[in-house]
Amino acid sequence: MTDEESQILLQFLKVLADESRLRILGLLTNREASVEELAAYLKLRAPTVSHHLHRLQTLQLVAMRAEGNVHFYRFQPESLYRLNRMLTPEKLSRLTDDVQGDEWERKVLRDFLSGEELKEIPASRKKRLVILKWLTDKFEADVRYPETEVNEIIGRHHPDFATLRRELIGNGLMEREHGVYWRI
Amino acid sequence: MTDEESQILLQFLKVLADESRLRILGLLTNREASVEELAAYLKLRAPTVSHHLHRLQTLQLVAMRAEGNVHFYRFQPESLYRLNRMLTPEKLSRLTDDVQGDEWERKVLRDFLSGEELKEIPASRKKRLVILKWLTDKFEADVRYPETEVNEIIGRHHPDFATLRRELIGNGLMEREHGVYWRI
DNA sequence: ACATCAATTCGATATCTATCTATATTCGTA
DNA sequence: TACGAATATAGATAGATATCGAATTGATGT
């Protein structure tokens, strides 16, 4: 969640997830209005409305036009469209997937390993595969392991050995027959 | 902001405006996952993840499939599309339409409603129409409902669902064809 | 029946923020 | 220059909620 766009999405949602601010936007879609007008309509004090407008403005959901001391605010629909574009399943999935590169695999290992300890199981299928390949190297080729030993070996690196063991099989990195495991 | 759809919009935004929940959705777009897996990846405790999943589930942003004791959650994109449809300037402007709306209609609603319960069906045609419009808002636009569900939804507000259902049709607020009902 | 493990529910706590009052700033005008 | 009016900022408070550990529920296998 260090991705910039994700943070913007989160900010958008936080700003919009407030009844007063939604109502302000609703009023401003019809016509521009001053802080005082809005306060009267919403039955809030001017500083409160000012605070909300400030937050809306940082995301360009509203814009301001000053006429003397009176500040007229208007709604800016483009920003809503921007939010809509960010609110697709595809964009959401990228929240947790990083960009790929040449050093990508090593970066994954750096990120998820602390020494020989797997800090967490990557959620993205691609990264998980990198970790699983690394884990496979902990087993000798052409050696048959009983399940207890498989658990023990995986368990040296992460407590959730059951999930990892299933993933190793599921991804074709190891095989099982009658409770005996071996590396491919 | 008494409008039902506005409240749903607000709920959507509140549920999504949280980093952990966004990350959960991001993970679930790639693959379904158990509570434990999610907790490991997010570095949160299981009860916390459970709490988030519950909130996501109330808005049908995720769905659950149980396999023994393990609960696998998956992402439901349709709900996001629903949110997108609500996040247009036109819909936002309707948030406040009823604020300046007819004082009389609100009085009728106050008089005949006790919370979400319809105390009695108004005898006057004009007042009945106000109630029926309110009742129509309990149905989603563009959704087809079987008669049993129509009865169930109306029944939440008044026992005499048969009369009210007939009135909704008679006043052109809903339509029926082959036992299937939809909102106009 | 009993033990175990995943998930949920419960109760407590700490953080966040919407809202308020009080104060400061900015601009038009007498 | 000084005053009044409209906003903005600062600081305080109250309500909401994300998170946790502990206890409970529910399913599975011995």
Side-chain angles (χ1 to χ4, degrees), chain B residues 27-111:
Chain B
L27 293 171
L28 295 184
T29 51
N30 295 324
R31 56 196 264 278
E32 66 175 17
S34 70
V35 176
E36 255 194 352
E37 286 177 279
L38 291 171
Y41 185 77
L42 300 170
K43 293 178 184 142
L44 294 174
R45 300 294 164 184
T48 304
V49 175
S50 208
H51 162 70
H52 288 313
L53 288 168
H54 178 73
R55 297 208 65 182
L56 290 167
Q57 203 170 17
T58 58
L59 291 173
Q60 298 171 35
L61 283 158
V62 301
M64 192 265 277
R65 169 181 76 84
E67 193 172 291
N69 259 336
V70 183
H71 292 188
F72 289 98
Y73 284 86
R74 63 182 177 281
F75 175 53
Q76 303 220 283
E78 308 81 40
S79 46
L80 260 201
Y81 303 142
R82 187 178 173 202
L83 173 58
N84 272 323
R85 281 197 303 273
M86 287 192 285
L87 262 183
T88 64
E90 296 74 35
K91 294 277 185 179
L92 279 181
S93 77
R94 281 181 34 198
L95 292 191
T96 39
D97 276 354
D98 62 327
V99 171
Q100 35 192 334
D102 203 336
E103 181 62 35
W104 178 77
E105 292 197 2
R106 271 187 292 164
K107 182 178 182 339
V108 173
L109 290 172
R110 267 204 311 281
D111 287 345

Side-chain angles (χ1 to χ4, degrees), chain B residues 106-124:
Chain B
R106 271 187 292 164
K107 182 178 182 339
V108 173
L109 290 172
R110 267 204 311 281
D111 287 345
F112 286 91
L113 295 180
S114 167
E116 284 292 299
E117 184 195 345
L118 177 57
K119 289 187 281 189
E120 62 180 297
I121 302 177
S124 119

